[in-house]
Amino acid sequence: MSGRKRILVDEAEYFGLEQKAKQLGGLQRAVPVLINQLRQQVNNDLVRVSEALETRQAAVEAQVGTLHEQARNLEARTEQKLREHTRRAAAALEQLGTDVRRDTEARLVAQQAAWRAEIDESRRQARREIQDVADRVGDLETTAAQTTRAATDWLADARTMVSLIEDLPHERHAPGELARITPRLDTAATDLAQGHAASALGLAQATYHDLSDLRLTVELAERENLLARTAATGALAYLTALIGQNEIAPVEDENGVPIHGVTLHVDHWSRGELTRLRDEVAARSREVADRVLSTADLRAVTATEVPGHEQRLGEIVERARLRQLRSQLRVNLAETVAGVLGDSTGYQVIDGTYVGADERERFLAKMQHLNGNELVVEVATPSEDSSAMVVSVHSYDDDTTARHDRDTRAQAIVEGLRQHGLASGGAQEAGDADPQWRDLEAVRKREITRE
């Protein structure tokens, strides 16, 4: 005759231990290492961005040099402002520290808005100067030849501006705008060919300014995309380094002192959650490097995704730490129950193991009496992240007094746990003893499969 008794242990004491583990178990942060890695990544990206922008700017300035004086002055002023914008943004990125996870992107967005306003005001001033010149010329007696020459100049400059825009990713940042504006150049050219120089001049000049504004819009959008990508790359590099720092963590005692020779392998105890997070971060890093993300998405990486993943990392480490603690608590509780049974009934422990020799699983202790009777103490939790402990005593008795003995043993366990400061509910009949737990060698070798 055999049977099983089930005892639910009050989780209060163990909950206190878990709370202590949470207090002691924050993320490891080797801050100087993180900052150095972050800054190195940002600086490397800034070098690449600067080289690409310098190459493009040299080509732009060569074409700007072919414009007539008024347009050349306008664009030269714009180029100077663009250089200043990029230099200031790069300087801001170079100052990144661990605050990249918090407000760096917000600060950059605010700064870029202010810089855009500066550039716009500079261009408005230049446009006013151009208009002043045009008004003064209009007050003089202007020959048809002079008007024709002016219209020809503005048309040529507008076509140069089209060429500059075509070298930029304009469809990405201003889809359809270039195609909308350029037909007006054909209209101006037709007016000029038909002798309508005044109307051609007005249309050519207005179209030039629209094209110049479009080029500036695309240039700024592209530079902001590059800088947002640099910030996102740095933030992801920081997160990757932080994940690496927390793959293996020390296990600390109740005073926060690391226990010698004991470590927490986070990926093991999290059942691969750390690897999944690392893989997600790596995939996002590839997307950032491949330039498939919009500026808004890149800003979200820095401002939202990285802080969110960092919080998730902290939760993974905490879960892993608590699971390791519960594993040890299962052994401790089994030892307590075995000690109670040894003192009260004469049963002695002859073997013990986790299912599948995996410390993340339930723990079993096999005990034997001098008369040959055997029982197995099983300690489990209702779920992997539950604080409750459930003790099941599987009795493999072969004599006729087994039922009475089981009741006596169960009551002894309940009283013994209470004496150890562990309140528990009364023992409950839980059916027959589970035969699968009797052969601990087979239990130890069992292959564990999970959904």
Side-chain angles (χ1 to χ4, degrees), residues 417-439:
L417 291 176
R418 288 173 179 165
Q419 290 175 14
H420 282 80
L422 296 172
S424 63
Q428 303 171 359
E429 284 290 343
D432 294 335
D434 195 331
Q436 66 174 326
W437 303 138
R438 190 166 193 177
D439 184 355

Side-chain angles (χ1 to χ4, degrees), residues 139-153:
D139 291 339
L140 303 173
E141 187 175 341
T142 305
T143 66
Q146 289 173 321
T147 303
T148 298
R149 185 164 57 251
T152 302
D153 286 343

